[in-house]
Amino acid sequence: MLENSYIAVALFILGFGFLIFIHELGHFLAAKWVGIKCTQFAIGFGQALVSWRQGMGLAIGSSESTYLKRVVAELDQEDGTTTEPANYEERVHKAGDERVDAISQRLGLGETEYRLNYLPLGGYVKMVGQEDLDPTAVSKSPRSFNNKSIPARALVISAGVIMNLITGFVVFIPAFLAGVDFPAAEVGIITPDSPAAAATPVNAPEGTDEGLKLGDRILTVDGKPVRDMVDVGISIALAQAGSDRILTVDRPGYEEPLTFNVSPRPDARREGLLSIGIGPSSTLQLAAVTQDSLLEQNGITRGMTLSAVGDTPVDRFHELRSALDNTNGEPTTLTFTGKDGTTKDIAIQPEPGLFYDPQLAEALAIEPATRVLEVVEDSPAAKAGVKAGDLIARIGGTELPSLRRLTSEIESAGNTPMRLVVRGEDGTTRDLGTITPSDGRIGVIISPAIDSGIVGQNPDSATQRIPPGSKVDWYTLQRAIQTSTNQIEIPFQPTGEISAATVTFTVSDEELALLQGAGWRPPTLGAAFTELQTSLKADNVGEAIGLGLVKTGDFMAQTYLTLLRLFQGSVQVSNLRGPVGIVDEGHKVASRGWPYLLFFLGLISINLAVLNFLPLPIVDGGLMIFLLVEAIRGKPASVRIQQGATLAGLALLGCLFIFVTFNDLWRLIFA
């Protein structure tokens, strides 16, 4: 059921609203317990949709006017007066809370209106003598908030936070009993020239290679155990800028764990957060197979598992990469095994990894032209007549753009029409006229046209070592680089010429190491492997309670550490999420099933608790600061100071809300 996007979004919104309702319920119950009069308890904001009051029952809209009418009628009868409806509120105010309470009790009317408002997100409690936005809203009533003792008011203020912490802890328990899967802490991706690739071995056996390797399982970060790749990513992202991290890893073939010193740095691919350049691993089971792909054409379906590369059995994702590297780019076969034990083989040509990372392509300064793998339905490319398999012959004023050049040309064009010429798989050229990008995209999935051998146009024409349109055997080139010195020779066939030419250039030791580590990758198969996951699952209620306590403490610490790093600069305001972003993430999590939804709501509940108790005006932490000032001074802070702080808090939170919402929408539209 949760696979339906609309249901997932609706359930998350309701869950998020429930968490804020729980927060306000904490305030309400504590206020009732210490004897504060609460005139309203509302779910949502705005005008009342329906309401209920003891002695009056359910009503469409608010019951307040009817309640006032009945109380005023009793007052007029006792005093022998007549009050106009427009003056009901003033009449009740002048009568005083004690007299009104006595009349309400005599009439059997409840003092609190319970209401469901039109905007069912969150809620509020309206207490006599307390208005967050109006410090002058005090009352002489002995049941008013302002006339209660400081400890009583502190309890009421902190009760919402306490309820959110309890709720977060409680919802973790069924989530952990069911089990929540996370990406395993096994390295499946290492970005070339990243901190992970350059990690320094510490107390490792002599001869241990520098850098993390595919298949390494991360055990600890700075001595703290990590359960999954999410833990690893958070530990790195919240590191202090300029400081190193100590990682302990379990590496296949080594009896004892290895220790590495890693220096995180900001990563543009992670919105500037600190990163060490690693990603999670995958299993070898197919999660999806694209229609008309190489796999489907050979009868290989979703759920089958890659079991061998050539004669080499593979069981883990890093073994696949290693087996492909061992082919040295020579043709080989992939064997897939079904759940019934049947096998199917397909012949493949491993592709050079040189052109699948921008840093590698930039170091080489020679890139293939670009081929279209898929065309998005109803996209500008589909409407223009682009077909899967087409090679991009011209985009705008650029002939034979490389993948990087094509991307930059389209992004810089915005919504301006561009000339588009393609070359079909049969070698014929088609001039498609103009194509107009939609928000910097034309609706194609692209890859380097390695099989064509055609050299593409680099993003920076000044660094072009071989003219576009020339031909290079990219497979031979990668093999040559793997045994090359700093002087790299590249033979090529100039455009329109019979005789071959050679270009020679020099690279640094660092660049050579980067290029030689490119490795070989499978060709485009039209498939996706399932993510390697680890389950956070308790065997019994006691263990689930223990996990809930641990995660509650972890998330509280992470939230405070995030705020600290925000002030220190290693975390940016642009990394934060607002309501739109939270709903988007919540939808993705809810779509994975109810255990994930409960886990995410528990995380949000704890964050609400922490953020609400920050010492900022208009949130609970700011109110606690004013109580502390009152306890020290013996009297409340002046109304002027409270009003100034309230306005400043509103301005700060309002600007933050607008900023993060804009960023959320930008991510949704352009990410």
Side-chain angles (χ1 to χ4, degrees):
M1 180 180 70
L2 295 186
E3 291 180 358
N4 183 294
S5 295
Y6 296 107
I7 294 176
V9 169
L11 284 176
F12 177 74
I13 290 175
L14 289 174
F16 187 69
F18 173 74
L19 294 181
I20 304 178
F21 160 73
I22 285 292
H23 180 91
E24 297 301 330
L25 181 63
H27 291 313
F28 177 72
L29 294 177
K32 285 286 192 180
W33 190 61
V34 301
I36 296 174
K37 182 177 180 179
C38 301
T39 59
Q40 285 183 9
F41 179 80
I43 299 175
F45 298 96
Q47 298 298 314
L49 181 63
V50 294
S51 62
W52 183 89
R53 188 188 296 264
Q54 182 182 343
M56 296 177 62
L58 194 66
I60 302 299
S62 175
S63 64
E64 185 70 11
S65 59
T66 305
Y67 170 75
L68 290 175
K69 180 179 180 180
R70 293 176 66 175
V71 171
V72 169
E74 286 293 312
L75 289 172
D76 285 347
Q77 185 176 352
E78 290 178 0
D79 298 343
T81 58
T82 301
T83 304
E84 295 296 324
N87 299 323
Y88 282 173
E89 288 191 20
E90 182 181 356
R91 178 77 167 96
V92 169
H93 180 71
K94 287 183 178 181
D97 282 342
E98 292 185 49
R99 188 178 177 192
V100 169
D101 289 347
I103 291 175
S104 296
Q105 189 173 4
R106 188 168 66 245
L107 294 174
L109 303 178
E111 66 183 27
T112 306
E113 178 187 54
Y114 301 87
R115 50 193 282 168
L116 175 64
N117 293 333
Y118 279 98
L119 298 175
L121 282 177
Y124 61 87
V125 180
K126 191 173 182 179
M127 293 178 278
V128 171
Q130 196 273 331
E131 290 283 350
D132 288 344
L133 302 181
D134 184 8
T136 65
V138 296
S139 170
K140 296 180 180 180
S141 170
R143 296 187 61 206
S144 70
F145 176 84
N146 59 279
N147 282 329
K148 293 298 178 181
S149 67
I150 289 178
R153 282 180 281 163
L155 175 64
V156 173
I157 291 171
S158 61
V161 167
I162 294 171
M163 284 289 281
N164 276 138
L165 287 176
I166 293 173
T167 301
F169 164 68
V170 168
V171 299
F172 279 152
I173 295 174
F176 291 144
L177 282 172
V180 185
D181 293 335
F182 297 94
E186 180 176 302
V187 179
I189 299 171
I190 299 178
T191 304
D193 199 30
S194 65
T200 306
V202 178
N203 298 329
E206 187 175 347
T208 301
D209 291 338
E210 182 182 77
L212 299 181
K213 305 298 179 187
L214 297 179
D216 283 352
R217 186 165 59 90
I218 301 175
L219 304 176
T220 68
V221 177
D222 287 341
K224 183 178 179 181
V226 290
R227 296 178 176 86
D228 48 66
M229 195 59 84
V230 175
D231 277 354
V232 175
I234 290 174
S235 299
I236 299 299
L238 297 183
Q240 185 172 356
S243 65
D244 292 345
R245 304 285 92 178
I246 301 296
L247 271 62
T248 302
V249 305
D250 180 29
R251 176 171 294 176
Y254 286 76
E255 293 184 3
E256 298 295 329
L258 305 179
T259 303
F260 289 89
N261 191 43
V262 191
S263 304
R265 64 184 181 216
D267 189 341
R269 284 167 289 197
R270 299 194 64 209
E271 300 179 12
L273 287 171
L274 292 177
S275 170
I276 61 173
I278 62 174
S281 188
S282 301
T283 71
L284 296 180
Q285 186 180 50
L286 293 171
V289 175
T290 305
Q291 186 176 2
D292 295 327
S293 64
L294 178 63
L295 292 183
E296 188 186 62
Q297 291 170 9
N298 285 271
I300 295 168
T301 58
R302 178 177 179 268
M304 297 184 75
T305 300
L306 176 61
S307 54
V309 177
D311 296 329
T312 305
V314 291
D315 186 55
R316 306 276 291 279
F317 185 75
H318 70 275
E319 293 174 352
L320 165 62
R321 296 294 299 272
S322 177
L324 288 172
D325 287 347
N326 289 338
T327 68
N328 201 26
E330 297 296 336
T332 186
T333 58
L334 299 181
T335 301
F336 289 86
T337 303
K339 294 180 180 179
D340 60 357
T342 59
T343 62
K344 288 183 179 293
D345 292 343
I346 62 168
I348 66 159
Q349 168 67 63
E351 293 189 346
L354 284 171
F355 312 105
Y356 287 92
D357 186 280
Q359 290 177 311
L360 294 173
E362 187 174 353
L364 192 61
I366 303 171
E367 302 176 49
T370 304
R371 188 178 302 285
V372 175
L373 294 180
E374 294 181 37
V375 180
V376 178
E377 188 177 353
D378 293 328
S379 65
K383 294 173 182 176
V386 179
K387 300 183 184 302
D390 283 348
L391 185 138
I392 304 297
R394 174 185 287 273
I395 186 80
T398 302
E399 292 187 2
L400 295 169
S402 68
L403 191 146
R404 291 194 300 149
R405 181 64 176 261
L406 176 69
T407 302
S408 64
E409 289 282 341
I410 294 173
E411 288 178 349
S412 61
N415 296 323
T416 304
M418 310 174 71
R419 186 183 174 197
L420 179 62
V421 180
V422 299
R423 187 182 303 171
E425 292 182 289
D426 60 0
T428 59
T429 299
R430 307 193 313 275
D431 190 335
L432 302 181
T434 61
I435 185 171
T436 303
S438 176
D439 296 319
R441 298 183 179 186
I442 62 172
V444 290
I445 298 174
I446 53 180
S447 75
I450 294 173
D451 59 331
S452 72
I454 299 175
V455 176
Q457 181 75 259
N458 286 348
D460 183 4
S461 300
T463 66
Q464 192 85 31
R465 292 194 171 111
I466 297 177
S470 303
K471 290 208 170 183
V472 170
D473 186 331
W474 305 111
Y475 302 92
T476 301
L477 171 60
Q478 176 149 316
R479 295 188 193 103
I481 287 177
Q482 288 173 338
T483 58
S484 176
T485 64
N486 298 82
Q487 296 285 326
I488 296 179
E489 293 186 356
I490 302 179
F492 66 96
Q493 190 76 37
T495 306
E497 295 185 20
I498 299 175
S499 59
T502 300
V503 62
T504 303
F505 59 95
T506 303
V507 296
S508 66
D509 291 341
E510 292 77 12
E511 288 175 324
L512 181 62
L514 191 66
L515 295 170
Q516 289 180 338
W520 297 87
R521 5 175 341 135
T524 303
L525 300 172
F529 292 113
T530 60
E531 187 177 65
L532 180 65
Q533 296 185 326
T534 182
S535 182
L536 196 58
K537 188 178 187 303
D539 293 329
N540 51 60
V541 174
E543 191 173 331
I545 291 173
L547 277 173
L549 286 172
V550 169
K551 280 298 183 183
T552 299
D554 286 348
F555 289 144
M556 288 179 65
Q558 287 167 6
T559 304
Y560 282 119
L561 190 56
T562 299
L563 296 170
L564 174 62
R565 299 295 183 240
L566 190 65
F567 283 104
Q568 292 178 337
S570 58
V571 174
Q572 306 299 319
V573 177
S574 59
N575 299 133
L576 304 180
R577 295 292 187 272
V580 175
I582 292 173
V583 170
D584 181 50
E585 291 296 324
H587 151 250
K588 296 173 185 175
V589 173
S591 297
R592 300 182 67 181
W594 67 266
Y596 297 90
L597 175 61
L598 288 179
F599 179 83
F600 193 64
L601 289 176
L603 170 60
I604 295 296
S605 188
I606 292 167
N607 274 273
L608 283 174
V610 172
L611 296 176
N612 259 290
F613 221 60
L614 292 175
L616 298 174
I618 83 167
V619 297
D620 296 338
L623 297 178
M624 290 293 287
I625 293 295
F626 282 130
L627 282 186
L628 181 61
V629 170
E630 182 177 342
I632 295 173
R633 297 178 71 238
K635 60 180 180 179
S638 69
V639 171
R640 183 176 179 181
I641 290 177
Q642 292 187 57
Q643 287 177 329
T646 299
L647 291 174
L650 274 175
L652 175 64
L653 293 181
C655 290
L656 181 61
F657 175 84
I658 293 171
F659 184 82
V660 297
T661 300
F662 174 82
N663 278 335
D664 290 341
L665 292 172
W666 183 269
R667 289 187 191 97
L668 284 176
I669 296 171
F670 299 109

